[in-house]
């Protein structure tokens, strides 16, 4: 059995609850657990009867109160029932916190489909704070400073991105890499022309040449590849000079959906969602480099369901702009 404890209990609006549940809620409140009902108390039991005794006990219990949904957050904060503190209002930011015996883990997720989050978060920890990149299995340094009884963490989350924050004394012995720069100097916009080839799931990695595009566009448009489902390969070249710096970062802009970048025949990684940003520092070389970008869409273009036929679909392929940054 898990050793778990709770500071309070929040019950969503319910017109009716089982009698046994209402009796148990009252018992918990009498034992000292604060309980918040959203909007109002139940008006009857789900068995269909009207048990005035249990309803009156709920209404008269000092540990039980009703709170309008739009005031719940403020009420919980005023009572001290919170874990993290966010500098700004970010309704699409989610946080999951797990405490282990020798480590604490926070997972932050930006649920917004298009807007980035750039804020500061105070987390209730005092130990060594590091970031964990699950894609690369790397521990990274964090932009974190002591803040009262906790730590102030600078949190930058592009749309749909997740970051894992780990805290523990033993992390001081773990080698942590510096955070890759994301605000580098723009070196160039890669505009093509792009040599395009395609491969269905059955054909991959064997590609068939399709066409050449001067500019990137939505391939689901009429006259292009409106019903193609699979992987589209974009091939061009880029020129690099060591005078641009030691770090080279490629940003694909908009892509639908999964993207993998190859530079001079070596993979720079895969991104399932934005930001489609790749560190090319270890792969790029002086002068001319061969750049290949493979973008895989979904089956909806080949076999749309009933709702997809009526609804607006996402674009297909690489839309860009594809930009190269240096430090």
């Amino acid at each position: 059995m898990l050793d778990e404890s709770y500071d309070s209990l929040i019950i969503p609006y319910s017109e009716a609850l089982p009698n046994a549940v209402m009796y148990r809620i009252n018992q918990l409140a009498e034992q000292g657990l604060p309980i918040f009902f959203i909007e109002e108390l139940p008006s009857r039991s789900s068995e269909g009867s009207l048990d005035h005794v249990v309803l009156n006990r709920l209404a008269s219990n000092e540990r039980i109160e009703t709170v309008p949904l739009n005031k719940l957050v403020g009420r919980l904060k005023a009572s001290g029932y919170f874990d993290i503190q966010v500098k700004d209002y970010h309704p699409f930011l989610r946080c999951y916190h797990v405490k282990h015996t020798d480590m604490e883990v926070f997972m932050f997720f930006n649920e917004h489909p298009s807007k980035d989050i750039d804020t500061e978060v105070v987390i209730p920890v005092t130990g060594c704070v590091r970031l964990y990149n699950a894609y690369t299995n790397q521990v990274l340094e964090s932009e974190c400073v002591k803040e009262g009884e906790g730590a102030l963490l600078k949190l930058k989350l592009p749309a749909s991105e997740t970051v894992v924050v780990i805290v523990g004394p033993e992390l001081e012995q773990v080698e942590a890499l510096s955070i890759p720069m994301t605000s580098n100097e723009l070196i160039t916009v890669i505009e093509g022309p792009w040599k395009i080839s395609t491969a269905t799931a059955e054909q991959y990695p064997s590609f068939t040449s399709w066409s050449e595009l001067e500019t990137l566009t939505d391939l689901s448009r009429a006259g292009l590849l409106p019903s193609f489902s699979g992987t589209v390969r974009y091939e061009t070249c880029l020129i690099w000079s060591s005078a641009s710096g030691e770090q080279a970062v490629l940003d694909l802009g908009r892509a639908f959906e999964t993207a993998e970048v190859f530079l001079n025949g070596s993979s720079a990684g895969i991104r399932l969602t934005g930001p489609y940003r790749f560190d090319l520092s270890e792969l790029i070389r002086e002068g001319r480099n061969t750049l290949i970008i493979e973008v895989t869409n979904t089956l909806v273009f080949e076999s749309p369901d009933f709702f997809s036929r009526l609804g607006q679909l996402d674009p297909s392929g690489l839309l860009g702009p594809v930009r190269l940054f240096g430090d």
Side-chain angles (χ1 to χ4, degrees):
M1 185 175 183
L2 295 177
D3 182 15
E4 298 179 348
S5 61
Y6 299 88
D7 294 324
S8 63
L9 176 62
I10 302 170
I11 300 177
Y13 170 74
S14 304
E15 179 183 339
L17 287 175
N19 276 319
V21 172
M22 289 192 285
Y23 274 110
R24 182 56 179 153
I25 290 173
N26 190 71
Q27 287 179 341
L28 293 173
E30 290 177 343
Q31 293 169 6
L33 180 67
I35 297 176
F36 300 93
F37 278 89
I38 304 300
E39 301 298 345
E40 59 184 67
L41 296 173
S43 59
R44 60 182 177 84
S45 71
S46 56
E47 288 85 357
S49 60
L50 188 62
D51 193 328
H52 292 286
V53 175
V54 67
L55 292 176
N56 290 338
R57 290 177 67 184
L58 291 176
S60 61
N61 196 308
E62 295 182 353
R63 288 283 183 172
I64 297 176
E65 64 177 285
T66 59
V67 182
L69 181 59
N70 62 355
K71 296 183 178 180
L72 177 63
V73 172
R75 181 67 187 88
L76 293 176
K77 284 186 176 180
S79 301
Y81 303 133
F82 59 87
D83 190 33
I84 65 169
Q85 300 180 68
V86 184
K87 178 182 179 181
D88 311 298
Y89 178 64
H90 292 286
F92 289 90
L93 177 62
R94 300 292 179 265
C95 176
Y96 186 67
H97 181 193
V98 177
K99 292 183 179 181
H100 299 285
T101 55
D102 57 350
M103 181 184 297
E104 294 191 45
V105 180
F106 297 81
M107 185 177 75
F108 293 96
F109 175 47
N110 180 3
E111 286 191 343
H112 201 284
S114 59
K115 294 183 179 180
D116 297 350
I117 290 176
D118 188 351
T119 188
E120 294 179 343
V121 179
V122 177
I123 54 179
V125 296
T126 57
C128 182
V129 180
R130 294 286 187 262
L131 306 181
Y132 175 64
N133 188 328
Y135 282 113
T136 61
N137 193 29
Q138 293 175 323
V139 177
L140 307 174
E141 295 176 347
S142 66
E143 297 182 82
C144 193
V145 296
K146 183 175 176 56
E147 177 82 4
E149 298 298 321
L152 179 66
L153 175 70
K154 292 184 179 181
L155 188 64
K156 297 179 181 179
L157 276 179
S160 302
E161 188 167 273
T162 297
V163 65
V164 176
V165 180
I166 51 179
V167 185
E170 296 184 0
L171 292 175
E172 296 180 359
Q173 311 302 322
V174 178
E175 182 181 359
L177 304 177
S178 59
I179 300 175
M181 290 181 289
T182 57
S183 57
N184 312 52
E185 179 183 353
L186 177 63
I187 302 300
T188 184
V189 177
I190 302 173
E191 296 180 337
W194 301 89
K195 180 182 176 182
I196 309 297
S197 54
T198 63
T200 64
E202 293 83 1
Q203 295 170 336
Y204 189 88
S206 177
F207 284 84
T208 300
S209 178
W210 176 68
S211 184
E212 184 172 282
L213 295 177
E214 291 295 326
T215 58
L216 298 172
T217 187
D218 177 8
L219 294 180
S220 67
R221 293 167 49 194
L224 298 178
L225 296 170
S227 60
F228 174 76
S229 175
T231 300
V232 180
R233 171 180 282 179
Y234 299 77
E235 185 173 351
T236 189
C237 69
L238 63 87
I239 306 299
W240 175 259
S241 171
S242 57
S244 301
E246 297 182 356
Q247 187 178 41
V249 176
L250 187 73
D251 191 314
L252 301 187
R254 301 175 67 205
F256 298 87
E257 308 284 338
T258 302
E260 182 172 11
V261 169
F262 298 86
L263 192 67
N264 301 320
S266 298
S267 175
I270 299 174
R271 301 292 182 269
L272 304 181
T273 183
Y276 296 96
R277 190 177 299 123
F278 301 80
D279 189 347
L280 306 182
S281 305
E282 300 297 323
L283 303 177
I284 203 163
R285 61 195 181 201
E286 188 80 13
R288 184 183 181 90
N289 292 260
T290 300
L291 174 66
I292 293 177
I293 303 169
E294 293 184 1
V295 178
T296 304
N297 63 11
T298 68
L299 281 171
V300 70
F301 296 98
E302 180 181 341
S303 305
D305 59 20
F306 175 77
F307 295 103
S308 299
R309 295 176 188 273
L310 301 178
Q312 182 177 356
L313 300 178
D314 284 333
S316 176
L318 178 63
L319 272 63
V322 180
R323 297 170 296 172
L324 183 64
F325 294 86
D327 61 9

